[in-house]
Amino acid sequence: MNQQLLKILTQNKLLNETFDSSQEITIESPWYVKVLLAFSGWLAASFMLGFIASFFSQFYKDTPLLIGLGSVLIVTAYFILRNKKTNEFLEHLALAISLAGQALFLLAVFNTFNYHNEKMIWLSFGLVQLPLALFMPNFVHRVFSSFFATICFAATIFFLYELIGGFMVYGAFIMLLTALIWLNEFRFPKHIEALHAIGYGLVLALITIKGTNVFMHTNVWKIRAGEYAQTAWFNGWMGELLLSGVTLYVVWNLLKKTHPKPSKTAMLLALGGTIILTVLSMQAQGLLTGLMILLLGFSTNNRVLLGFGVTALLFFISSYYYLLENTLLDKSITLFILGIALIIGRIIIVKVLPETATKGETI
Amino acid sequence: MSQYRKEIYQLIQSGDIPAEHIDQALRVSNITPSSHAWKNFLSNLLLWLGVVALTSAVMFFIAYNWDALGRFAKFGLVEALIAGAIFIYWRSSRKALTAKTSTQPNTKQKTSQLISQAALLGASLLLGVLLAFYGQTYQTGADTWQLFFTWCVLILPWTVIAAFPALWLVWLTLLNLSIILYAETFRGIFGFVFASEVDLLWVIAIVNGTALILWELLSKRYQWLAQSWATRIVAIAAGTPLTFLVINSIMDHRHLTILPSIVWFIAIVGVYIIYRKRKPDLFMLALGCLSGISVLLSFAGKMLFDNLGSDMGGFLGLTVLVIILGGASAIWLKKINNEQHQLEGAQSGGTKE
């Protein structure tokens, strides 16, 4: 345990009286160790599937057997992972067993819906992933399941042409959920690991969904969905509006959390700047999402989230070039106005805020 | 940024920081940024995003009017952009130089250094645009690899003076691309498809491996080179082709060779000695584990499927092996991670209780 940190916490009387400073605290593994674990889990699952397939080579069309065996495997994995004394070998085994079980479920879903009913296939698989994300007591598993559950439900809405525009609303809703998790990540100590895992899964899914949203305008989907545009339940602007609302909510919460409390000028500038940015970025899809991830990452010192935010921003900006909805001239004008606004924003921050924002600095 | 996030996370999770003190604990450990930190972050973010947006706006505008522009206007435009970037570099490099030599550079000096590096990076990328346009306009007949190689050679002086790891990575990427494109051209003429692919993997592995060794050696002397994210990228670029070479030599029935396995083994031992003993880096060790797992699984897969005569046994054997190898790697890496944290904790806070 870091002695300097302990000193700061003890001086401020922030630790429990029962805290034993000599106890060793297990340090969370870095992301790449978890990726290595997940990669091996995937490999083991595919080999295990190969083994099961060669054992029951005739059972591929037997849907009840597939569901039964899949459930047994997933439940077995749950019980292995629930045991807190589970070591890495068992954790690995459980991941592989669960993934193999999910693959059997997927086969059963394909058998049931005859490969052509995209909506139902995606929805069914999303419904398998959702409880796994919520209840499977393992970090890697939860990241994986929350990512896939989010993507599966997005794909379900994507193929529901009657809900054109619903895809955008869904993206904004996922942004809201992501923001709520990261803004409150430390609020529920008992569920902190679950919240983190689901939070990362949602961020990854959000980048993917927003990426698809960008490319959505260029593919056949738009032509097919266009037929339903007149009778749509949702419209694209609802998504934009909801996203703007979420952005303002996040900025407001971050301002409330900041210590020392920002001056009125700083708060007005932050909220005003956010409104201008939301209006300007309506034409540049994904920009707000990337910025939100970046702000959430910085607000809790989370380097992984910051990395995701930067990657998302770079991805969205470069994919903007391929958006066929607007001409290059329109895009150029949008970016020019956005660029000027950002630079003006920077000048205002540097020139206006020094005296106000840093007033009362104590830390 | 605070380095205590992981520790605070653990203390909150274990209930050692009561719920009512969590917000304050996050503040005193600097995990929740102060107003001052927010101001610095936002001003940097807005500057970078603004520059990216304006540059993209100019690029999109040129792309929109490309056909309408005359040949000289096009050349003039790209050259003016390069000249502009160099001008910005010249303006900010003086302040940056003070920052590099000063023991405690202030924020303004750091910003100047950043701007000068970004300007040279921009100029280097624009030079490639100029070369491509030159080739297109005058139909020079040069191969694509020549374009990338010339680009790589021409930006070398800028790369040397910029003292900027990202620009060195761009340079190395261009060198890799030149080699890959050269191999494709060569393959087209002679048609030794398989042989040239293996040769290509060798060349890429050797070039990137040499780059990694040089980078590590020089980073002792030049502090600005000591960026672990950059060496990690170079290590991936060197390790991936080498691992593929070994897997290929295991799977290939036609050419029996143990040379890739010998070189790979030496590289793995080298990675262990350097990144476990000399300059601890868990990422590099994880990379070595991943490469090791891939190679051992290929070897075991080949043995099992060739000799057992039943797919079932092969799959079962591989499942068990991958669980053992993955689990063992995770245990070992976690142990080293804990050791490193204890060491860092002891170094920053004096003796342990």
Coordinates of all heavy atoms in Angstrom, one line a residue, chain B residues 221-287:
Chain B
R221 N 20.0 7.5 -23.0 CA 20.8 8.7 -23.2 C 19.8 9.9 -23.4 O 20.0 11.0 -23.0 CB 21.7 8.6 -24.4 CG 22.6 9.7 -24.5 CD 23.8 9.4 -25.5 NE 24.4 10.6 -25.8 CZ 25.4 10.7 -26.7 NH1 25.8 9.6 -27.3 NH2 25.9 11.8 -27.0
Y222 N 18.8 9.7 -24.3 CA 17.8 10.7 -24.6 C 16.5 10.5 -23.9 O 15.8 9.6 -24.2 CB 17.6 10.8 -26.1 CG 18.9 11.0 -26.9 CD1 19.4 9.9 -27.6 CD2 19.5 12.2 -27.0 CE1 20.6 10.1 -28.3 CE2 20.7 12.4 -27.7 CZ 21.2 11.3 -28.3 OH 22.4 11.5 -29.0
Q223 N 16.3 11.3 -22.9 CA 15.1 11.1 -22.0 C 13.8 11.2 -22.8 O 12.9 10.4 -22.5 CB 15.1 12.2 -20.9 CG 14.3 12.0 -19.7 CD 14.5 10.6 -19.1 OE1 15.7 10.2 -18.9 NE2 13.5 9.9 -18.7
W224 N 13.7 12.0 -23.8 CA 12.4 12.1 -24.5 C 12.0 10.8 -25.2 O 10.9 10.6 -25.6 CB 12.5 13.3 -25.5 CG 13.6 13.2 -26.6 CD1 14.9 13.7 -26.5 CD2 13.6 12.5 -27.8 NE1 15.6 13.4 -27.6 CE2 14.8 12.6 -28.4 CE3 12.6 11.8 -28.5 CZ2 15.1 12.1 -29.7 CZ3 12.9 11.2 -29.7 CH2 14.2 11.4 -30.3
L225 N 13.0 10.0 -25.5 CA 12.7 8.7 -26.1 C 12.1 7.7 -25.2 O 11.5 6.7 -25.6 CB 14.0 8.1 -26.7 CG 14.3 8.3 -28.2 CD1 15.7 7.7 -28.5 CD2 13.3 7.8 -29.1
A226 N 12.3 7.9 -23.9 CA 11.8 6.9 -22.9 C 10.3 7.0 -22.7 O 9.8 7.4 -21.6 CB 12.5 7.2 -21.5
Q227 N 9.6 6.6 -23.7 CA 8.1 6.6 -23.6 C 7.7 5.1 -23.8 O 7.8 4.6 -24.9 CB 7.5 7.4 -24.8 CG 7.9 8.9 -24.8 CD 7.1 9.7 -23.8 OE1 6.1 9.2 -23.3 NE2 7.5 10.9 -23.5
S228 N 7.1 4.5 -22.7 CA 6.9 3.1 -22.8 C 5.8 2.8 -23.9 O 5.8 1.7 -24.5 CB 6.5 2.5 -21.5 OG 5.4 3.2 -21.0
W229 N 4.8 3.7 -24.1 CA 3.8 3.4 -25.1 C 4.4 3.2 -26.5 O 3.9 2.4 -27.2 CB 2.7 4.5 -25.1 CG 3.2 5.8 -25.5 CD1 3.6 6.8 -24.7 CD2 3.2 6.3 -26.9 NE1 4.0 7.9 -25.5 CE2 3.8 7.6 -26.8 CE3 2.9 5.8 -28.1 CZ2 4.0 8.4 -27.9 CZ3 3.1 6.6 -29.2 CH2 3.6 7.9 -29.1
A230 N 5.4 4.0 -26.8 CA 6.0 3.9 -28.1 C 6.8 2.6 -28.3 O 6.6 1.9 -29.3 CB 6.9 5.1 -28.3
T231 N 7.6 2.2 -27.2 CA 8.4 1.0 -27.4 C 7.4 -0.2 -27.4 O 7.7 -1.2 -28.1 CB 9.4 0.8 -26.2 OG1 8.7 1.1 -25.0 CG2 10.6 1.6 -26.4
R232 N 6.3 -0.1 -26.7 CA 5.3 -1.2 -26.7 C 4.8 -1.4 -28.2 O 4.6 -2.6 -28.6 CB 4.2 -0.9 -25.8 CG 4.6 -1.1 -24.3 CD 3.6 -0.5 -23.4 NE 4.0 -0.7 -22.0 CZ 3.3 -0.4 -20.9 NH1 2.1 0.1 -21.1 NH2 3.7 -0.6 -19.7
I233 N 4.5 -0.3 -28.9 CA 4.0 -0.4 -30.2 C 5.0 -1.1 -31.1 O 4.8 -2.0 -31.9 CB 3.6 0.9 -30.8 CG1 2.3 1.4 -30.0 CG2 3.3 0.9 -32.3 CD1 1.9 2.8 -30.3
V234 N 6.3 -0.6 -31.0 CA 7.4 -1.2 -31.8 C 7.6 -2.7 -31.4 O 7.8 -3.5 -32.3 CB 8.7 -0.5 -31.5 CG1 9.8 -1.0 -32.4 CG2 8.6 1.0 -31.8
A235 N 7.4 -3.1 -30.1 CA 7.5 -4.5 -29.8 C 6.4 -5.3 -30.4 O 6.7 -6.4 -30.8 CB 7.5 -4.6 -28.2
I236 N 5.2 -4.8 -30.5 CA 4.1 -5.5 -31.2 C 4.5 -5.7 -32.6 O 4.3 -6.8 -33.2 CB 2.8 -4.8 -31.0 CG1 2.3 -4.7 -29.6 CG2 1.7 -5.4 -31.9 CD1 1.1 -3.9 -29.3
A237 N 5.1 -4.6 -33.2 CA 5.4 -4.7 -34.7 C 6.6 -5.7 -34.9 O 6.6 -6.3 -36.0 CB 5.8 -3.3 -35.2
A238 N 7.4 -5.9 -33.9 CA 8.5 -6.9 -34.1 C 8.1 -8.3 -33.7 O 8.5 -9.2 -34.4 CB 9.7 -6.4 -33.2
G239 N 7.3 -8.4 -32.6 CA 6.9 -9.7 -32.1 C 5.9 -10.4 -33.0 O 6.0 -11.7 -33.1
T240 N 5.0 -9.7 -33.6 CA 3.9 -10.4 -34.4 C 4.5 -11.1 -35.6 O 4.2 -12.3 -35.7 CB 2.9 -9.3 -34.8 OG1 2.5 -8.5 -33.7 CG2 1.7 -10.0 -35.4
P241 N 5.3 -10.5 -36.4 CA 5.9 -11.3 -37.6 C 6.7 -12.5 -37.1 O 6.7 -13.5 -37.7 CB 6.7 -10.3 -38.4 CG 6.9 -9.1 -37.5 CD 5.8 -9.1 -36.5
L242 N 7.5 -12.3 -36.0 CA 8.4 -13.4 -35.5 C 7.5 -14.5 -35.1 O 7.8 -15.7 -35.4 CB 9.3 -12.8 -34.4 CG 10.3 -13.8 -33.9 CD1 11.3 -14.2 -35.1 CD2 11.2 -13.2 -32.8
T243 N 6.4 -14.3 -34.3 CA 5.5 -15.3 -33.9 C 4.9 -16.0 -35.1 O 4.8 -17.3 -35.1 CB 4.4 -14.7 -33.0 OG1 5.0 -13.9 -32.0 CG2 3.6 -15.8 -32.3
F244 N 4.5 -15.3 -36.1 CA 3.9 -15.9 -37.3 C 4.9 -16.8 -38.0 O 4.6 -17.8 -38.5 CB 3.4 -14.9 -38.2 CG 2.0 -14.5 -37.9 CD1 1.7 -13.2 -37.4 CD2 0.9 -15.4 -38.0 CE1 0.4 -12.8 -37.1 CE2 -0.4 -15.0 -37.7 CZ -0.7 -13.7 -37.2
L245 N 6.2 -16.3 -38.0 CA 7.2 -17.1 -38.6 C 7.4 -18.5 -38.0 O 7.5 -19.5 -38.6 CB 8.6 -16.4 -38.5 CG 8.9 -15.4 -39.6 CD1 10.1 -14.6 -39.3 CD2 9.1 -16.1 -41.0
V246 N 7.4 -18.5 -36.6 CA 7.5 -19.8 -35.9 C 6.3 -20.7 -36.1 O 6.4 -21.8 -36.4 CB 7.6 -19.5 -34.4 CG1 7.9 -20.8 -33.6 CG2 8.7 -18.5 -34.1
I247 N 5.1 -20.1 -36.0 CA 3.8 -20.9 -36.3 C 3.9 -21.4 -37.7 O 3.5 -22.6 -37.9 CB 2.6 -20.0 -36.0 CG1 2.5 -19.6 -34.6 CG2 1.3 -20.7 -36.5 CD1 1.4 -18.6 -34.2
N248 N 4.3 -20.6 -38.6 CA 4.4 -21.1 -40.0 C 5.4 -22.2 -40.2 O 5.1 -23.2 -40.9 CB 4.8 -19.9 -40.9 CG 4.8 -20.3 -42.4 OD1 3.8 -20.7 -42.9 ND2 6.0 -20.1 -43.0
S249 N 6.5 -22.1 -39.5 CA 7.5 -23.2 -39.6 C 7.0 -24.5 -38.9 O 7.3 -25.6 -39.3 CB 8.8 -22.8 -39.0 OG 8.7 -22.8 -37.6
I250 N 6.1 -24.4 -37.9 CA 5.5 -25.5 -37.3 C 4.5 -26.2 -38.2 O 4.4 -27.4 -38.4 CB 4.9 -25.2 -35.9 CG1 5.9 -24.7 -34.9 CG2 4.1 -26.3 -35.3 CD1 5.4 -24.1 -33.7
M251 N 3.7 -25.4 -38.8 CA 2.5 -25.9 -39.6 C 3.0 -26.4 -41.0 O 2.3 -27.2 -41.6 CB 1.5 -24.8 -39.8 CG 0.8 -24.4 -38.4 SD 0.0 -25.8 -37.7 CE -0.6 -25.1 -36.2
D252 N 4.0 -25.8 -41.5 CA 4.4 -26.0 -42.9 C 5.0 -27.4 -43.1 O 6.0 -27.8 -42.4 CB 5.4 -24.9 -43.4 CG 5.7 -25.1 -44.8 OD1 4.9 -25.7 -45.5 OD2 6.8 -24.6 -45.2
H253 N 4.4 -28.2 -44.0 CA 5.0 -29.6 -44.2 C 6.1 -29.6 -45.2 O 6.9 -30.5 -45.2 CB 3.8 -30.5 -44.8 CG 2.7 -30.7 -43.8 ND1 2.7 -31.6 -42.9 CD2 1.6 -30.0 -43.7 CE1 1.6 -31.6 -42.2 NE2 0.9 -30.6 -42.6
R254 N 6.1 -28.5 -46.0 CA 7.1 -28.6 -47.1 C 8.5 -28.2 -46.7 O 9.5 -28.7 -47.2 CB 6.6 -27.6 -48.3 CG 5.4 -28.1 -49.0 CD 4.9 -27.1 -49.9 NE 4.3 -26.0 -49.2 CZ 3.8 -24.9 -49.9 NH1 3.9 -24.8 -51.2 NH2 3.3 -23.9 -49.2
H255 N 8.6 -27.1 -45.9 CA 10.0 -26.6 -45.5 C 10.2 -26.8 -44.0 O 9.6 -26.1 -43.2 CB 10.1 -25.1 -45.8 CG 9.7 -24.8 -47.2 ND1 8.5 -24.6 -47.7 CD2 10.5 -24.7 -48.3 CE1 8.5 -24.3 -48.9 NE2 9.7 -24.4 -49.4
L256 N 11.1 -27.8 -43.7 CA 11.4 -28.0 -42.3 C 12.5 -27.1 -41.9 O 13.6 -27.3 -42.4 CB 11.7 -29.5 -42.1 CG 10.5 -30.4 -42.0 CD1 11.0 -31.9 -42.0 CD2 9.6 -30.1 -40.9
T257 N 12.3 -26.2 -41.0 CA 13.4 -25.4 -40.5 C 13.2 -25.0 -39.0 O 12.0 -24.8 -38.6 CB 13.5 -24.1 -41.3 OG1 14.4 -23.2 -40.7 CG2 12.1 -23.4 -41.5
I258 N 14.3 -25.0 -38.3 CA 14.1 -24.7 -36.9 C 14.7 -23.3 -36.6 O 14.7 -22.8 -35.5 CB 14.8 -25.7 -35.9 CG1 16.3 -25.9 -36.3 CG2 14.0 -27.0 -35.9 CD1 17.1 -26.5 -35.2
L259 N 15.2 -22.6 -37.7 CA 15.8 -21.3 -37.5 C 14.8 -20.3 -36.8 O 15.1 -19.6 -35.8 CB 16.3 -20.7 -38.8 CG 17.0 -19.4 -38.7 CD1 18.3 -19.5 -37.9 CD2 17.3 -18.8 -40.1
P260 N 13.5 -20.2 -37.3 CA 12.6 -19.3 -36.6 C 12.4 -19.6 -35.1 O 12.4 -18.6 -34.3 CB 11.3 -19.5 -37.4 CG 11.6 -20.1 -38.7 CD 12.9 -20.9 -38.4
S261 N 12.4 -20.9 -34.8 CA 12.2 -21.2 -33.4 C 13.4 -20.8 -32.5 O 13.2 -20.3 -31.4 CB 12.0 -22.7 -33.2 OG 10.9 -23.1 -34.0
I262 N 14.6 -20.9 -33.1 CA 15.8 -20.5 -32.4 C 15.8 -19.0 -32.1 O 16.0 -18.6 -31.0 CB 17.1 -21.0 -33.1 CG1 17.1 -22.5 -33.2 CG2 18.3 -20.4 -32.4 CD1 18.2 -23.0 -34.1
V263 N 15.5 -18.3 -33.2 CA 15.5 -16.8 -33.1 C 14.4 -16.4 -32.1 O 14.6 -15.5 -31.2 CB 15.3 -16.1 -34.5 CG1 15.1 -14.6 -34.3 CG2 16.4 -16.5 -35.4
W264 N 13.2 -17.0 -32.2 CA 12.1 -16.7 -31.3 C 12.5 -16.9 -29.9 O 12.2 -16.1 -29.0 CB 10.9 -17.5 -31.7 CG 9.7 -17.3 -30.9 CD1 8.8 -16.3 -30.9 CD2 9.3 -18.1 -29.8 NE1 7.8 -16.4 -29.9 CE2 8.1 -17.6 -29.2 CE3 9.8 -19.3 -29.2 CZ2 7.4 -18.2 -28.1 CZ3 9.1 -19.9 -28.2 CH2 7.9 -19.3 -27.6
F265 N 13.1 -18.1 -29.6 CA 13.5 -18.4 -28.3 C 14.5 -17.4 -27.7 O 14.3 -17.0 -26.5 CB 14.1 -19.9 -28.3 CG 14.5 -20.3 -26.9 CD1 13.4 -20.7 -26.0 CD2 15.8 -20.4 -26.4 CE1 13.7 -21.2 -24.7 CE2 16.1 -20.8 -25.1 CZ 15.0 -21.2 -24.3
I266 N 15.5 -17.0 -28.5 CA 16.4 -16.0 -28.1 C 15.7 -14.7 -27.7 O 16.0 -14.1 -26.7 CB 17.5 -15.8 -29.1 CG1 18.4 -17.1 -29.3 CG2 18.4 -14.6 -28.8 CD1 19.3 -17.0 -30.5
A267 N 14.8 -14.3 -28.6 CA 14.0 -13.1 -28.4 C 13.2 -13.2 -27.1 O 13.2 -12.2 -26.3 CB 13.1 -12.8 -29.6
I268 N 12.6 -14.3 -26.8 CA 11.8 -14.5 -25.6 C 12.6 -14.4 -24.4 O 12.3 -13.7 -23.4 CB 11.0 -15.8 -25.7 CG1 9.8 -15.7 -26.7 CG2 10.5 -16.2 -24.3 CD1 8.7 -14.9 -26.3
V269 N 13.8 -15.0 -24.4 CA 14.8 -15.0 -23.3 C 15.2 -13.5 -23.1 O 15.2 -13.0 -22.0 CB 16.0 -15.9 -23.5 CG1 17.0 -15.7 -22.4 CG2 15.5 -17.3 -23.5
G270 N 15.5 -12.8 -24.2 CA 15.9 -11.4 -24.2 C 14.8 -10.6 -23.5 O 15.1 -9.7 -22.7
V271 N 13.6 -10.8 -23.9 CA 12.4 -10.0 -23.4 C 12.4 -10.2 -21.9 O 12.2 -9.3 -21.1 CB 11.1 -10.4 -24.1 CG1 9.9 -9.9 -23.3 CG2 11.0 -9.9 -25.5
Y272 N 12.5 -11.5 -21.5 CA 12.5 -11.8 -20.0 C 13.6 -11.1 -19.3 O 13.3 -10.5 -18.2 CB 12.6 -13.3 -19.8 CG 12.6 -13.7 -18.4 CD1 11.4 -13.8 -17.6 CD2 13.8 -14.0 -17.7 CE1 11.5 -14.1 -16.3 CE2 13.8 -14.3 -16.4 CZ 12.7 -14.4 -15.7 OH 12.7 -14.7 -14.3
I273 N 14.8 -11.2 -19.8 CA 15.9 -10.6 -19.0 C 15.7 -9.1 -18.9 O 15.9 -8.5 -17.9 CB 17.3 -11.0 -19.7 CG1 17.5 -12.5 -19.6 CG2 18.4 -10.2 -19.1 CD1 18.7 -13.0 -20.4
I274 N 15.4 -8.5 -20.1 CA 15.3 -7.0 -20.1 C 14.1 -6.5 -19.3 O 14.2 -5.6 -18.4 CB 15.3 -6.5 -21.5 CG1 16.6 -6.8 -22.2 CG2 15.1 -4.9 -21.5 CD1 16.7 -6.6 -23.7
Y275 N 12.9 -7.0 -19.6 CA 11.7 -6.4 -19.1 C 11.3 -7.1 -17.7 O 10.3 -6.6 -17.1 CB 10.6 -6.5 -20.1 CG 10.9 -5.7 -21.3 CD1 11.1 -6.3 -22.5 CD2 11.0 -4.3 -21.2 CE1 11.5 -5.6 -23.7 CE2 11.4 -3.6 -22.4 CZ 11.6 -4.2 -23.6 OH 11.9 -3.5 -24.7
R276 N 12.0 -8.1 -17.3 CA 11.7 -8.6 -15.9 C 12.8 -8.1 -15.0 O 12.5 -7.7 -13.8 CB 11.7 -10.1 -16.0 CG 11.6 -10.8 -14.6 CD 10.1 -10.8 -14.1 NE 9.9 -11.4 -12.8 CZ 9.9 -10.8 -11.7 NH1 10.0 -9.5 -11.7 NH2 9.7 -11.4 -10.5
K277 N 14.0 -8.1 -15.4 CA 15.1 -7.8 -14.5 C 15.6 -6.4 -14.6 O 15.7 -5.7 -13.7 CB 16.3 -8.8 -14.8 CG 16.0 -10.2 -14.8 CD 15.9 -10.8 -13.4 CE 15.6 -12.3 -13.4 NZ 15.2 -12.8 -12.1
R278 N 16.0 -6.0 -15.9 CA 16.6 -4.7 -16.0 C 15.7 -3.5 -16.0 O 15.9 -2.5 -15.3 CB 17.4 -4.6 -17.4 CG 18.4 -5.7 -17.6 CD 19.8 -5.2 -17.1 NE 20.7 -6.3 -17.1 CZ 21.5 -6.7 -18.1 NH1 21.4 -6.1 -19.2 NH2 22.4 -7.6 -17.9
K279 N 14.6 -3.6 -16.8 CA 13.7 -2.4 -16.9 C 12.3 -3.0 -16.9 O 11.7 -3.2 -17.9 CB 14.0 -1.8 -18.3 CG 13.2 -0.5 -18.5 CD 13.3 -0.1 -20.0 CE 12.2 0.9 -20.3 NZ 11.8 0.9 -21.7
P280 N 11.8 -3.3 -15.7 CA 10.5 -4.0 -15.6 C 9.4 -3.3 -16.4 O 9.1 -2.1 -16.3 CB 10.2 -3.9 -14.1 CG 11.5 -3.6 -13.4 CD 12.3 -2.9 -14.4
D281 N 8.7 -4.1 -17.2 CA 7.6 -3.6 -18.0 C 6.6 -4.8 -18.2 O 6.9 -5.7 -19.0 CB 8.0 -3.1 -19.4 CG 6.9 -2.4 -20.1 OD1 5.7 -2.7 -19.9 OD2 7.2 -1.5 -21.0
L282 N 5.5 -4.7 -17.5 CA 4.6 -5.8 -17.5 C 3.9 -6.1 -18.8 O 3.6 -7.2 -19.2 CB 3.5 -5.5 -16.4 CG 2.7 -6.7 -15.9 CD1 3.6 -7.7 -15.2 CD2 1.6 -6.3 -15.0
F283 N 3.7 -5.0 -19.6 CA 3.1 -5.1 -20.9 C 3.9 -6.0 -21.8 O 3.4 -6.9 -22.5 CB 2.9 -3.7 -21.5 CG 2.2 -3.8 -22.9 CD1 0.9 -3.7 -23.0 CD2 3.0 -3.9 -24.1 CE1 0.2 -3.7 -24.2 CE2 2.3 -4.0 -25.3 CZ 1.0 -3.9 -25.4
M284 N 5.3 -5.8 -21.8 CA 6.2 -6.5 -22.6 C 6.1 -8.0 -22.2 O 6.2 -8.9 -23.1 CB 7.6 -6.0 -22.5 CG 7.7 -4.6 -23.0 SD 7.4 -4.4 -24.7 CE 8.3 -2.9 -25.1
L285 N 6.1 -8.3 -20.9 CA 6.0 -9.7 -20.5 C 4.7 -10.3 -20.9 O 4.7 -11.5 -21.3 CB 6.2 -9.7 -18.9 CG 7.5 -9.2 -18.4 CD1 7.5 -9.2 -16.9 CD2 8.7 -10.1 -18.9
A286 N 3.6 -9.5 -20.8 CA 2.3 -10.1 -21.3 C 2.4 -10.4 -22.8 O 1.8 -11.4 -23.2 CB 1.2 -9.1 -21.0
L287 N 3.0 -9.5 -23.5 CA 3.2 -9.8 -24.9 C 4.0 -11.1 -25.2 O 3.6 -11.9 -26.1 CB 3.9 -8.6 -25.5 CG 3.6 -8.2 -27.0 CD1 2.2 -7.8 -27.1 CD2 4.5 -7.0 -27.3

